[in-house]
Amino acid sequence: MLEDRDSLLRRLHELRSEHRDLDTVIARLTDDRHDALQLQRLKKRKLKLKDEILWLESRLVPDIIA
């Protein structure tokens, strides 16, 4: 259980890092008026990462019985 939690935390850290990196890349490409298709793909990747981050966070938070 602890190893599984550690691996989820590591993966979460990796995804958050990639998400932040994409912020930088997207901002730079937007400022320079680069290829719109490439920009769209990067934004889709960023949204996919956000979904994965939220899913992992929900796995790490224990269920609370009301």
Side-chain angles (χ1 to χ4, degrees), residues 9-66:
L9 286 171
R10 265 193 307 279
R11 180 69 179 144
L12 183 60
H13 177 72
E14 292 169 2
L15 292 174
R16 285 179 176 159
S17 178
E18 185 178 350
H19 191 266
R20 278 190 308 271
D21 291 346
L22 279 175
D23 274 338
T24 305
V25 172
I26 289 170
R28 190 171 299 141
L29 289 178
T30 301
D31 291 344
D32 294 342
R33 305 268 188 236
H34 277 80
D35 184 21
L37 183 58
Q38 181 184 11
L39 193 59
Q40 182 181 14
R41 287 179 178 154
L42 290 171
K43 287 180 178 182
K44 278 188 175 185
R45 174 67 183 151
K46 187 177 169 196
L47 287 173
K48 186 176 185 292
L49 287 172
K50 185 66 175 178
D51 288 343
E52 289 182 52
I53 290 168
L54 291 173
W55 182 82
L56 280 174
E57 288 174 341
S58 71
R59 296 270 322 255
L60 290 169
V61 175
D63 291 336
I64 299 173
I65 300 173

